[in-house]
């Protein structure tokens, strides 16, 4: 007897999309901050450019590639044994994913406050050094953006991957 495995496979694809969006978003933010840090170093500028360009490409690829692959490549029903394995995997991934995100939030919130305070102190003491001022302004603006993304990130990802 064959059973339709549409829902468990789509749940597994959804969690793959979550990981890809997270990694691509981190690459993009890392590239933006590397542009502030690069100054005239061509190697750092190249790294910043590559991560800034390929981060959004990874986000778009992780959102749309699994759906297109499922639609065009998987057109069969799964046996009952594979379906139960997928259902067990789905509940495990849900638990691990939510606890991992909460753990990341618990670690990142205090780090964001510390980095913000360091940026304020550096901005106060770097009145004549343009490189330090640029980095401080970038961090000063970037920390609230990261805090906002941590708060709204799951709903944005749900909207993009639904």
């Amino acid at each position: 007897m064959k059973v339709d495995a549409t829902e468990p496979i789509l749940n597994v694809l959804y969690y793959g999309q979550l990981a890809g969006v997270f990694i691509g978003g981190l690459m993009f933010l890392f590239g933006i901050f590397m542009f502030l840090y690069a100054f005239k170093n061509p190697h750092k500028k190249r790294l910043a450019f590559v991560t800034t360009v390929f981060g959004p490409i990874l986000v778009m690829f992780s959102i749309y590639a699994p759906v297109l692959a499922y639609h065009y490549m998987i057109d069969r029903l799964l046996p009952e044994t594979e379906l139960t394995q997928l259902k067990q995997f789905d509940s495990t991934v849900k638990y691990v994913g939510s606890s991992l995100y909460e753990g990341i939030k618990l670690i990142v919130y205090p780090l964001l406050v510390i980095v913000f305070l360091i940026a304020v102190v550096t901005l106060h003491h770097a009145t004549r050094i343009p490189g330090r001022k640029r980095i401080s302004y970038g961090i000063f603006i970037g920390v609230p953006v990261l805090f906002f993304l941590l708060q709204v990130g799951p709903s944005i990802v749900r909207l993009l991957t639904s």
Side-chain angles (χ1 to χ4, degrees), residues 14-129:
Y14 174 73
Y15 291 112
Q17 288 173 331
L18 286 179
V21 168
F22 179 72
I23 293 169
L26 282 180
M27 281 177 61
F28 179 73
L29 291 174
F30 176 75
I32 294 294
F33 286 116
M34 276 301 290
F35 271 124
L36 294 172
Y37 180 70
F39 300 120
K40 294 181 181 180
N41 188 338
H43 299 294
K44 289 180 184 176
K45 281 187 178 182
R46 187 177 306 125
L47 175 67
F49 177 74
V50 167
T51 55
T52 304
V53 168
F54 285 112
I57 290 173
L58 178 65
V59 168
M60 298 307 287
F61 182 77
S62 65
I63 289 174
Y64 293 112
V67 175
L68 292 174
Y70 175 75
H71 181 70
Y72 290 111
M73 298 172 79
I74 301 173
D75 192 23
R76 66 182 179 93
L77 301 175
L78 289 179
E80 185 69 37
T81 57
E82 292 181 26
L83 183 63
T84 53
Q85 290 173 353
L86 275 176
K87 286 184 179 178
Q88 291 171 351
F89 177 74
D90 181 43
S91 62
T92 305
V93 169
K94 275 184 187 176
Y95 175 73
V96 170
S98 63
S99 60
L100 183 66
Y101 183 73
E102 292 300 320
I104 288 172
K105 282 174 50 173
L106 287 174
I107 293 170
V108 169
Y109 284 155
L111 288 176
L112 284 177
V113 171
I114 291 169
V115 168
F116 188 77
L117 292 175
I118 290 172
V120 169
V121 170
T122 306
L123 185 62
H124 177 67
H125 289 292
T127 54
R128 292 189 179 150
I129 305 170

